Structures are given as structure tokens and as C-alpha cells.
Amino acid sequence: MRVSNRLAGWAAVAGLLVTLLPALEARARKSDRLLAEGRVAEQRKQWDKALALFEQALQEAPGDPACLMAARRVRFQAGQAHVEVGLGLREQGKLEAALAELQKAVAIDPSSAIAEQELRVTLQMIEREKKKAAEGVEAKPEERGLTPAAEERQEMLERIAQLEPVPRLKPLSTQPINLRLSKQPPKVLFETVCKLAGINLIFDPEYRTDPSMVSNLNLELTNATLEQALDYLEAMTKSYWKPLSANTIFVTNDNQPKRRDYEDFVLKVFYLTNITTPQELTEISTMLRSITDIRRVHQYSAQNVLIVRGSADQVLLAEKLIQDLDKPKAEVVVDVLVMEANRTKSRDLAAAVASGGTAGLSSPITFAPRNSVTASSSNSSTTTPTASTQSQLISLARIAHISTNDFAVTLPGALLQALMTDRQTKVLQSPQVRAANGQKASLRIGDKVPIASGGMQPFGGVVGGFSSLYSQFQFIDVGVNVDITPTVHGVNEVTLKVELEISTVRDRIDLGGISQPVIGQRKVTHEIRIPEGEVSLLGGLMQTQETRSLTGIPGLMQIPVLKKLFSSQSVEKNNSELLIALIPHIVRTPGVTAQNLKGVASGTDAQIRVSLAPRAPEAPKHPPEPKPAAPPQQEVKPALAPAPNVPKE
């Protein structure tokens, strides 16, 4: 019974599987089709369509990892695409359409933080526009697209653009001032000059003058500008004046407390374009502090920026200094010519009666018995067997019968040799090196050759036991190695600090089982100053080597006539010549102009003060009518002097 029940259960399961397999197979085929269609839409960047197809495939095959990963990937892309569309619409001022796109992005991908953030910002912008509409203010489309942060940033930029520089006087009359006044107080002198130029004048309520100069000042001006006249009065009356606007000046006493209270400060940012190292920026900053007495100088090395805050005259002087110092570095191109010529000649002459010719007379006598006994022997060990050797032996009975027939001798032959060789080698290398003024430039042409260095160390860490050889390898440059540091003097002379090395691998030797190279080296290190374009010869090296050798039979090779028959003579000549030439070419200069060399008045030791030349008058659109020449000097009635304050008794 139990067996029959089990068989019945297995049969039911098998029937169920047979029934479900076609449906499962059909659903699998449908999910694969939807997955393939979704991938095509994804390649075309149709993110909404691809997401819909992947979600349908996921419904058909809930446990398929491919469908799950594809749906998650495309959900992010679809949400991001709606965010980008919404941001574009919002920049155009279409806030409602942008809100709809951002809401779609949040619905598609609720985990997108950027979609939620931009949705909140868009709602704030819509509320802002509703308030403006309620107040009757109509916003422009470009203003509707501004976020609260962008709106605040735009207002900040507008405020920065409205910042005014230090005012500069623009008098109504630009005619030169010709004036003569006698025995007038300082206030009358200032008021008279300002009336002539058509500008307003304001005195400090605490303005006081020296009693000795109340009515004893004389002023005579001829063809003077307004600024020059005011500077004259400032020096005469020990006063300080500054422009409040284009047509108003302020006058007070010239002392340190008043200058500290009334002197305007200027903030300026200098962007230096030719600085390459932070050290150069620090040097310019230190120079500004020491020359212009500006205390507030800060540097920002990331962008080569100097931030300066000081008086108007100090900042103007700093502008002049930075303009003179921020120059491009001079650059030099150096042509390096390496010319080497080697020539080797050899001559071998031999006429000898000898077996080796050059080895003298050698006639060995060997033992060759007629009836020899051949015996072979082998020398072997437990590890490595060696080859067997054979020797010719005779029996003891034949020792008494040894004669000249049992020996052999090699007769010397004759040699006649005449050989001559001629070998020439020429090497020409002409690299170019470009370097900035004061900067080192290096050129390496050749190979890196390994050189072993090492020593002995105990094997296994036991001192006094076996030792092993260890090696360390260093690589050195072999070839043409050039290091040049140029210094440009003006526009036509250059100082070159040169290190030139030419090396080759001449031979190799065996040291401790390691083949080590033998490197031939020619090195020149010196410093020269030459004109631009002039050729400088650094290392002209000529070498001539002659080697003579005579070999032959002793005694016979010294006989005057026979020595040529019993000796050989070899002559070898080596000629080598090395020539190194440097040719500098200046390809860039700092570009110092006459304005950079111009000296400017910078005030006194206690006070920095610079003066500006009058502006050139603009050319009139229509030629003016001729006017009669102005008199060289005009009498001007001075302003009425205030009545002196007489103390009451």
C-alpha cells in the first residue's frame, strides 16, 4: 500500500510539471523578448520605453537577475533624463512645465536626491512668482528662471559692478590756470583756484592754519593744471586734499591722525601671468611691502594672485612695480654639435722561415714508436665520468732498440705576409636644448647600462658559515648627456653653465662571474659668456697613437740583412678627434620697454605720493572756430577773506 501511494504521488507531481512546463517556457520566452526590446530602446536612449519594457519583463520573470538589474539601471537614467528636461524648462522661465517633469522624475526614481531637491526649489520659485503677481510686479522670463540662490548671486554681482574706484577730478574747465595772488590766507587761495576750475570745495570743520601764514601767502601760477595747483597749495599751506567726487574736493590739515581718518584705501587683486614658482610670488610680495610701505599684502599661490590694500598712491605705485616685474622669462635654444672622427691604420709585414711566422722558430720533436702498444685509461669519480685518454707505449724489451726512427720532428715552413688596413669612423650628433632663463635643462641621448654592485653575506644567517654573493644593479646613462643652465644678459649675450658628458661602453670584463662594462668618458664642465649666435668650442680633443711591434727568431732578427727573413713587423696608427660646439640663440626676451625704465616721483620718505599727468584732450568732432589768443597771465579777484576773529575784551 505504501509503495503504491508513493508511486501515485510521484505520478501526480510529474503530471503537474508536464502541465506547467509549456506555460513556464512561454513566459520565459516572453521575458527574453521584452528584455531584448528594452535593450534596443536603451541604446536609443528612450529611457521611459526601456523602463516600461524591463518592468514587464520583470513581471513575467520575477526572479530573473538580468531583468532586475536592467530595470534598476534604466530607472535611474529615466529619472535623470526628466530632471535635465525640467531644469532646461526652468531656465527658460517655464516653471509649471518644469514642475511636471520633476514630479515625473520623483515618481520614476523616488531615491533620486537631486530630483527631490530641484522639486523643492521649483516650488519655491512658483511661490515667489505668485507673490510678485499679487503685488502687481511682472517678472521677465529670464528672471523667472532664476533660482533663489542664483538671484542672490546676480544681485551680488551687480553690487560688485557698482563699486566705484577712487574718484578722480574732472573739472568743468580744462584750461590752464594762470593766477597771481598776494598776501591771502590759505582758504582764500583754495577757494579761488576751485572757482577757476569750476569744482566744489569742502573744508574740514577742524581745519586750522598756522597764524604766521594767515595773510602772508603769495601765489603765482602760470599754465598749471588743477591737480598741480592744488599740490602747490598743499605744500605751501601744509594741508591735505582729496577728491570726494569728480567735481568736489575736501581739504584738511596734513598730519598723521587726519590722514588716517580721511585718506581713502584701495583694494586691488593682481593676477600675475608670468610667475612659475611660489618663491617668485613671495619675493614680489616682500618687495611691495618694503618699497611701497603697504602693510596688507596677501598672496594666493594656487592662481599666482596678490591681494593688496593700501592708499590710492601706494596701490598705484604697486601697479607700476608689478607691471615692470611680471615679465616672461627669457628663453634660449642651444644647438649642441658633437663631431667625432676616428681613423685607424695598420700595416703587417712578415717574411720568415718558421712554423708560426710571428712566433719565432718552434720545431717540436715527438715520440712515435714504430711498434707501439696502445692503452686507454679513464679518470672517473662517483659523480662525473671523464673521457678516456690513449697513449702510445712500447714494451720493455724494445727499449734497447730505440733509434731515430722512433721520433718525429716538424720542419719550419716559410711565411710571406703583407697586410694593410685603413678604417675611418665619423660621428655627428646635433641635438637642440631649449631652456628658460636660470632654469636647468637636461638632455639624455643614449642607453642606460646596468652596473652591478654588491658583496658577501652569510648564508642562512650564520656568521662564519657558508657565504653567498649578492648583487645590486644601478643604471647609468651612456651616450650624450647635456645639462645647460642659461642666463640671458639683455638681448644679445648669454651665460651658459654647461655640463657635457660623452660616454661609450668600450669593453666588458669579468668580475666575480659578472660581466661588467668598461665605460669610456669625456666630460666638460665650465661656465662661459658669449654673444647670441656665436659658436663656442668646448672640447676639441685630438689624439694620435702609434704602435710598432717587431717579432721573430732571437739573434737572427737582429742581423741587418737577414732580419727581414726571420721577423715580422707591425705598425698601427690611431688618430681620433673630438669637437664639441655650442651655439645659443635667444628666442624670447622679457620685453622691457621705455615705460618700464621710466622713473616716477613717489613722494617723500614719510609719505608715498604719486602724480598723474593730465589727460590728453579728446579731438573735437568739428573743428572749433578760431579764438583770440589768451593773455599769458590774468588777474583774478580773490575771494573775500573772512573777517578775523578778534577776541572781545
Side-chain angles (χ1 to χ4, degrees), residues 298-314:
H298 300 277
Q299 61 188 48
Y300 181 49
S301 301
Q303 294 186 2
N304 291 335
V305 168
L306 286 179
I307 305 171
V308 176
R309 185 174 185 267
S311 66
D313 292 333
Q314 289 175 335

Side-chain angles (χ1 to χ4, degrees), residues 48-343:
D48 292 341
K49 181 179 179 181
L51 179 60
L53 292 172
F54 288 149
E55 288 181 346
Q56 293 179 15
L58 188 61
Q59 291 178 0
E60 295 294 334
D64 191 353
C67 298
L68 182 61
M69 293 176 61
R72 289 181 178 178
R73 182 180 65 253
V74 174
R75 181 175 289 109
F76 169 77
Q77 296 288 352
Q80 191 66 24
H82 284 285
V83 169
E84 293 176 358
V85 174
L87 294 180
L89 293 172
R90 193 175 69 184
E91 290 179 358
Q92 300 174 7
K94 302 177 181 179
L95 301 182
E96 290 76 10
L99 179 64
E101 291 293 333
L102 293 173
Q103 288 175 344
K104 290 181 182 179
V106 174
I108 291 174
D109 188 7
S111 63
S112 175
I114 185 66
E116 294 182 359
Q117 176 183 346
E118 298 300 335
L119 180 61
R120 290 194 299 268
V121 172
T122 305
L123 290 174
Q124 294 175 4
M125 296 170 63
I126 292 176
E127 292 296 328
R128 180 193 64 191
E129 297 302 321
K130 288 181 180 179
K131 291 181 181 179
K132 289 183 179 180
E135 296 173 356
V137 179
E138 184 179 358
K140 299 179 181 179
E142 57 271 14
E143 295 178 353
R144 286 172 53 88
L146 293 176
T147 63
E151 188 176 16
E152 182 64 27
R153 190 179 299 108
Q154 185 178 10
E155 293 179 359
M156 180 186 65
L157 294 177
E158 291 177 356
R159 291 194 299 270
I160 293 175
Q162 293 174 355
L163 292 175
E164 291 289 343
V166 174
R168 186 175 181 184
L169 285 178
K170 296 181 180 179
L172 296 178
S173 175
T174 59
Q175 294 295 327
I177 297 176
N178 299 288
L179 178 64
R180 177 185 294 173
L181 296 175
S182 300
K183 295 182 180 181
Q184 298 297 328
K187 285 189 176 182
V188 174
L189 298 179
F190 274 107
E191 290 172 353
T192 304
V193 171
C194 291
K195 283 183 180 180
L196 286 176
I199 62 172
N200 302 320
L201 174 63
I202 298 176
F203 283 103
D204 183 11
E206 300 179 356
Y207 180 66
R208 297 290 184 270
T209 57
D210 190 352
S212 63
M213 61 177 66
V214 170
S215 60
N216 295 328
L217 294 179
N218 299 323
L219 177 64
E220 184 174 355
L221 300 175
T222 303
N223 200 24
T225 63
L226 174 61
E227 287 83 359
Q228 291 173 348
L230 294 175
D231 290 341
Y232 297 157
L233 292 177
E234 180 183 73
M236 290 173 57
T237 62
K238 297 181 180 180
S239 303
Y240 164 67
W241 72 273
K242 75 168 189 176
L244 295 180
S245 63
N247 61 347
T248 304
I249 68 169
F250 174 80
V251 178
T252 185
N253 296 104
D254 189 7
N255 52 52
Q256 195 66 27
K258 290 297 183 180
R259 282 190 175 269
R260 187 166 52 248
D261 293 339
Y262 292 107
E263 191 171 25
D264 292 329
F265 270 43
V266 177
L267 173 67
K268 189 159 186 179
V269 180
F270 296 95
Y271 291 88
L272 282 69
T273 58
N274 297 296
I275 300 300
T276 57
T277 61
Q279 180 183 357
E280 297 174 352
L281 190 64
T282 303
E283 290 178 356
I284 293 181
S285 175
T286 305
M287 180 271 302
L288 290 180
R289 289 190 182 94
S290 60
I291 298 298
T292 63
D293 293 335
I294 300 178
R295 294 179 298 167
R296 299 176 178 90
V297 179
H298 300 277
Q299 61 188 48
Y300 181 49
S301 301
Q303 294 186 2
N304 291 335
V305 168
L306 286 179
I307 305 171
V308 176
R309 185 174 185 267
S311 66
D313 292 333
Q314 289 175 335
V315 174
L316 188 57
L317 186 59
E319 287 183 5
K320 202 271 179 188
L321 292 175
I322 292 178
Q323 182 71 19
D324 296 341
L325 295 177
D326 188 23
K327 297 289 186 180
K329 292 184 178 180
E331 293 187 6
V332 180
V333 172
V334 182
D335 294 331
V336 183
L337 302 179
V338 180
M339 294 169 283
E340 185 176 3
N342 296 322
R343 184 171 186 177

Side-chain angles (χ1 to χ4, degrees), residues 609-624:
R609 181 66 180 262
V610 295
S611 300
L612 297 177
R615 296 179 178 177
E618 297 181 358
K621 297 181 180 179
H622 301 286

